[in-house]
Amino acid sequence: MRRHRLFSLGLASLLLALGTAQAQAPLPSTFILDNGLQVVVQHDPRAPVVTAQLVVRVGSSHEPPGQSGLSHALEHLLFRGSEKTEPGEFSRIVERLGGRDNAYTTPDYTVYHLTLPSERLEVALELGADLLSGARLADEEFVREIEAVLAERRESIDDFPTERLHELWLAQAFPASGYRTPVIGWPQDIERLSPNALRNWYRSWYAPNNASLVVVGDVQGEQVKKLAERHFGRLPARQLPTSMPPLELQNPGARTVHIEDLHSTPYLLMGFNVPSRATAQAPQDVAALRLTAALLASGRSARLPLRLEREQPLLQQIDVRYAAIARGDALFSLSAHINASQPAPLATLEHALRAQLQQLKDTPPTVAEVERARNRLLADEVFARDALEGQAGDLAEYLGSALPLAWRADAETELHAVTAQQVQHVAQTYFTRERLTTAYLTTPEPPHE
Amino acid sequence: MTEQTRTPRYTLMGLVTLAAVVALVLFLAKPAQSDSAAQPASTAAKPANTLQSLAELDGKPPASRALDIQTWNTAEGAKVLFVEARELPMFDLRLTFAAGSSQDGDSAGVATLTNAMLNEGVAGKDVTAIAQGFEGLGADFGNGAYRDMAVASLRSLSAADKRDPALKLFAEVVGKPTFPEDALARIKNQMYAGFEYQKQNPGKLAGIELFEKLYGSHPYAHPSDGDAKSIKPITLEQLRAFHAKAYAAGNVVIALVGDLSRDEAQAIAAQVSAALPKGPALAKLPQPAEPKPGAYHIDFPSKQTHLMLAQLGIDRADPDYAALNLGNQILGGGSFGTRLMSEVREKRGLTYGVYSVFSPMQVRGPFMINLQTRAELSEGTLKLVQDLLRDYLKSGPTQQELDDAKRELAGSFPLANASNASIVGQLGAIGFYNLPLTYLQDYMQQSQKLTTEQVRDALNKHLAADKMVIVTAGPSVPQKELPPPTDNPTEQPLGVPEH
């Protein structure tokens, strides 16, 4: 099943030296075809394998009210027949060649990716160009596929109270921007989608000048350029709809949402409106927020697992996220379940989490904590280069958000420079009540307290 | 970017699920199922596409990364496999002990508990200090216990200021764990919670039952975690004793991949090996006895019924492995267009996914077919699957099916060696199962030479349609007839496969 995702995953690749020459990833080569298609090639000769990703800059945040889910439904439909392939044949071709493929939709962009032996790269590019321009979007395939999308929604969202809560929370957390729209779409909107709406959406956004092609692996830029020109070069550039980066209110006010479910372990989700790398006045704040997230919850010895999971058995599955790469504003979120084996009220957990955030505001973290978090983030960026798909996904994140690739290297420098005082500073600046949306999942109150 | 969730959040429950998977680690990395549609795909036998680049492919198998595997033994008798990979400033170290749950003896769960306790305490450090030690260096420690093996692994940057302290701590954790009492209580509590949780999971229950029926009194019969009753009385003394014999230097394979010279790799292997308890390899397991065929049902109030069909397959040393694996790929090992998938899902819409697999282990592992379907169609579906297997064993694959499968296998081969993470897994399996260093190439060449007759004969040598042990889990409801096969089934399958 193709997965949508609400947060984009992936890490900025390492460009700075870590003390040895080979710590430097080679710079990707970039060129733009006459029709505006941006092509980025990252050479990695370790194995004769290549990953190709087609990134189209349209996602749920572009969708008008009442038509949520358009981008994701379109992603599904693109595999159901084109000029060159029969419905369902795309994945079969890739599998028969020993490769793998998948696709996902985010709020900002949609990605189609294939991994194949490198000498078969041309098949991937021909398939990619066919996705971008040759989709059939036939009525009968729409009817079948929209059922699949509705089933996906039921199985991946509606049957999971934490997922439903997450959707409602996003709708509160982004009062002014398209980031409130769920990637998969609201159920009543999915039911109202039409083949024509999808065709219009496809014609509006699927153009070479709104897409990037990322190729990572055992290939050279020149070779990719030749193949890209052969398969994508004939596609005409098109006038694109106007689209503004999603920006949020400076002080949206405290918001809450609450749902109940009889069978769930109580769960808390908190999110602060914060800038992303694209919208931050001070890029250093972004690096400090990234480091704060790692300091709080990355690893068993991070603050929250240590203090609220083992020292006090209050929570389980603590998760702290900050997606810094986006075309608009972002959230800094914390979520956790209560400890089911020693259940305390959800309010106790909320109180404890808030107290931990207050402590960050009151006292800068120790140097050792900052170093631990920083070392972890830096090492992760090296480890992420082990998988071609990881490298390509990281590039896709920047390209899909239309951010300069040079910022990947800057992110590294900025991370190196973060101090304990800056962590305290971003905590004081952003972890405020006016920026906070809190979501609660509880079991219905028993008749007595 | 999401940067906080790298730590594997494996619960002990998760380890059991992994057990089946790890048995397949050697070159069985299947392309991820990536079908977007709940709907059956077109079943056109011949591709209808007009891709020019596809038509131009010459049909030659693609090149793959040449692995220069170096091997030696440490002074204490540990076998080492090493691949130098200088491109990234990092390395992977993976220790594979013959210390899985098949070594549990009368205390089911002792292998899993021992493995889970490794990083709970060493001299002068508790669980938090150990975590701080690794995480402060940016290093990842990993562990897990399965039926054949128990694993401890380290991924670290290769710069000496990170590598040396990470290795020192790793050596203490695997070689000199202190087994603190409070940690044992905490881990047992997590496992009790896991056992409660799995009572709500019919697929899980069916899997446990299947192994019990398949293996009877053999050490593979019980789940790696044991159960609530079996882990309760397990003492720290037992864990220490298990560690002393099963984590011995003679009972481990050390796999290393990354930014290291041969000398550095040799020094690392020597350091880790010297830290382990002294001792020989444990005795090999006996082969399991043939199970009695039969069908068993677990009544469970779900909408779907889980169907599992199995018999004993092969061990890792079996010379028929290549033929069986290729034959299985055509039957139900791939994601699209396998016989089972096309008949059960695409033509009849009875399931989201149906898969078959050989899991070769140290001694005979299972051959399994696994699917879910609507409860009221479960009997008909079961019979359909049995008929499909019977037909396939009788006729064997067609030439077209075999050619397609060979091409797919050859194409996926380069992907299997692409990352350090996948190579270290391959090395661990080659060492653990005592396979030749040229195993991957041999396997590929052997597969490409197979004929339809050879595949059919190998399948019939090892499988028989009437010898299946069958476990179903689901509600007992009046049964309906199956719909006839069609290219456009109207009935939509329920639920998603558990994979």
Side-chain angles (χ1 to χ4, degrees), chain A residues 69-392:
Chain A
L70 265 175
S71 311
H72 173 258
L74 183 57
E75 175 220 301
H76 272 244
L77 249 303
L78 289 200
F79 294 90
R80 306 304 303 172
S82 65
E83 272 171 28
K84 296 189 175 180
T85 62
E86 293 301 313
E89 201 186 19
F90 183 102
S91 298
R92 205 176 295 223
I93 289 169
V94 177
E95 180 173 317
R96 284 281 178 247
L97 294 177
R100 51 185 180 236
D101 75 282
N102 213 328
Y104 56 87
T105 306
T106 79
D108 288 333
Y109 56 93
T110 309
V111 177
Y112 303 86
H113 58 99
L114 296 101
T115 302
L116 285 166
S118 40
E119 58 224 58
R120 295 171 178 179
L121 170 66
E122 186 166 3
V123 178
L125 298 198
E126 190 175 357
L127 283 169
D130 189 43
L131 278 179
L132 192 60
S133 69
R136 278 187 220 164
L137 308 176
D139 285 3
E140 63 273 19
E141 292 296 331
F142 170 85
V143 172
R144 289 158 64 118
E145 202 57 31
I146 216 70
E147 286 304 316
V149 173
L150 283 165
E152 180 182 348
R153 193 187 150 90
R154 284 193 299 272
E155 283 154 18
S156 65
I157 309 279
D158 300 339
D159 281 355
F160 295 94
T162 52
E163 295 296 322
R164 274 197 292 132
L165 186 72
H166 190 266
E167 256 186 5
L168 297 169
W169 168 80
L170 274 180
Q172 297 284 330
F174 289 115
S177 73
Y179 281 160
R180 66 207 321 272
T181 307
V183 168
I184 195 165
W186 300 111
Q188 70 277 21
D189 291 350
I190 301 174
E191 278 165 14
R192 290 185 291 171
L193 289 178
S194 68
N196 266 334
L198 259 66
R199 286 177 205 129
N200 284 334
W201 201 245
Y202 184 65
R203 269 196 299 271
S204 301
W205 297 101
Y206 278 64
N209 45 324
N210 194 40
S212 298
L213 176 68
V214 182
V215 179
V216 181
D218 188 16
V219 284
Q220 301 290 349
E222 273 311 305
Q223 185 191 351
V224 176
K225 187 169 186 180
K226 209 175 76 196
L227 295 176
E229 270 164 359
R230 183 181 303 163
H231 292 288
F232 290 89
R234 64 183 170 81
L235 309 180
R238 235 176 293 135
Q239 171 105 36
L240 298 170
T242 308
S243 166
M244 303 306 276
L247 294 185
E248 270 310 329
L249 307 172
Q250 285 296 313
N251 280 303
R255 289 138 289 164
T256 61
V257 56
H258 183 178
I259 64 173
E260 291 186 332
D261 180 74
L262 194 54
H263 304 291
S264 294
T265 306
Y267 171 79
L268 181 73
L269 172 58
M270 299 164 65
F272 298 94
N273 291 96
V274 296
S276 71
R277 181 65 177 79
T279 64
Q281 305 281 330
Q284 203 53 42
D285 280 3
V286 173
L289 284 167
R290 287 179 63 198
L291 193 127
T292 304
L295 184 145
L296 285 174
S298 173
R300 289 181 92 184
S301 67
R303 267 197 193 189
L304 300 180
L306 171 62
R307 296 182 183 178
L308 303 185
E309 205 169 341
R310 287 200 303 283
E311 287 179 7
Q312 295 177 73
L314 268 181
L315 58 76
Q316 54 195 32
Q317 295 174 44
I318 178 73
D319 188 19
V320 175
R321 295 181 179 222
Y322 170 54
I325 303 306
R327 69 190 179 108
D329 279 328
L331 291 174
F332 186 101
S333 70
L334 305 93
S335 68
H337 291 270
I338 67 159
N339 181 344
S341 62
Q342 290 153 278
L346 199 56
T348 309
L349 174 55
E350 183 181 11
H351 184 78
L353 281 175
R354 283 178 182 243
Q356 290 300 323
L357 296 178
Q358 187 59 46
Q359 228 179 77
L360 273 185
K361 296 186 195 180
D362 294 343
T363 319
T366 64
V367 172
E369 275 185 295
V370 172
E371 285 312 310
R372 189 202 71 93
R374 186 181 355 251
N375 282 340
R376 211 165 148 76
L377 289 169
L378 292 171
D380 272 352
E381 299 193 353
V382 175
F383 298 162
R385 280 164 52 199
D386 190 30
L388 296 183
E389 281 109 334
Q391 293 183 51

Side-chain angles (χ1 to χ4, degrees), chain A residues 1-2 7-12 14 18 20 22-24 44-49 75-77 79-80 83-89 91-93 95-103 115-117 119-120 122-124 126-127 130 143-148 151-152 155 230-231 290-291 293-294 297-302 306 310 317-325 341 371-373 375-388 391 397-398 411, chain B residues 1-7 9 29-44 46-54 56-66 86-92 119-120 127-128 131-140 155-159 162 186 189-190 193 259 329 334-338 346 352 404-405 407-415 417-422 487-489 492-496:
Chain A
M1 180 175 299
R2 291 174 202 282
F7 287 100
S8 35
L9 306 171
L11 302 170
L14 183 66
L18 282 181
T20 60
Q22 62 213 345
Q24 263 177 332
D44 182 335
R46 288 181 298 158
V49 173
E75 175 220 301
H76 272 244
L77 249 303
F79 294 90
R80 306 304 303 172
E83 272 171 28
K84 296 189 175 180
T85 62
E86 293 301 313
E89 201 186 19
S91 298
R92 205 176 295 223
I93 289 169
E95 180 173 317
R96 284 281 178 247
L97 294 177
R100 51 185 180 236
D101 75 282
N102 213 328
T115 302
L116 285 166
E119 58 224 58
R120 295 171 178 179
E122 186 166 3
V123 178
E126 190 175 357
L127 283 169
D130 189 43
V143 172
R144 289 158 64 118
E145 202 57 31
I146 216 70
E147 286 304 316
E152 180 182 348
E155 283 154 18
R230 183 181 303 163
H231 292 288
R290 287 179 63 198
L291 193 127
S298 173
R300 289 181 92 184
S301 67
L306 171 62
R310 287 200 303 283
Q317 295 174 44
I318 178 73
D319 188 19
V320 175
R321 295 181 179 222
Y322 170 54
I325 303 306
S341 62
E371 285 312 310
R372 189 202 71 93
N375 282 340
R376 211 165 148 76
L377 289 169
L378 292 171
D380 272 352
E381 299 193 353
V382 175
F383 298 162
R385 280 164 52 199
D386 190 30
L388 296 183
Q391 293 183 51
E397 207 170 39
Y398 280 83
Chain B
M1 63 193 86
T2 307
E3 302 181 316
Q4 70 307 316
T5 48
R6 176 183 60 168
T7 317
R9 287 215 169 113
K30 284 283 161 202
Q33 166 106 10
S34 59
D35 184 6
S36 69
Q39 317 298 340
S42 153
T43 56
K46 272 283 174 191
N49 72 78
T50 55
L51 289 165
Q52 202 183 345
S53 56
L54 195 60
E56 283 168 4
L57 287 180
D58 55 14
K60 275 189 292 194
S64 60
R65 180 180 190 170
R86 295 302 198 128
E87 294 89 346
L88 300 175
M90 56 183 274
F91 70 96
D92 285 276
N119 57 332
E120 290 289 332
V127 57
T128 299
Q132 257 158 5
F134 286 123
E135 291 166 8
L137 299 163
D140 279 346
R155 167 170 270 201
S156 162
L157 298 176
S158 51
K162 302 286 191 299
R186 178 162 44 78
N189 269 330
Q190 287 171 4
D259 178 26
Q329 195 181 325
S335 326
F336 298 100
T338 64
E346 293 172 9
Y352 262 42
D404 284 349
R407 190 171 172 199
E408 180 180 333
L409 188 66
S412 64
F413 190 48
L415 274 63
N417 277 348
S419 66
N420 293 3
S422 55
D487 281 342
N488 292 297
Q492 289 317 316
L494 257 183
V496 288

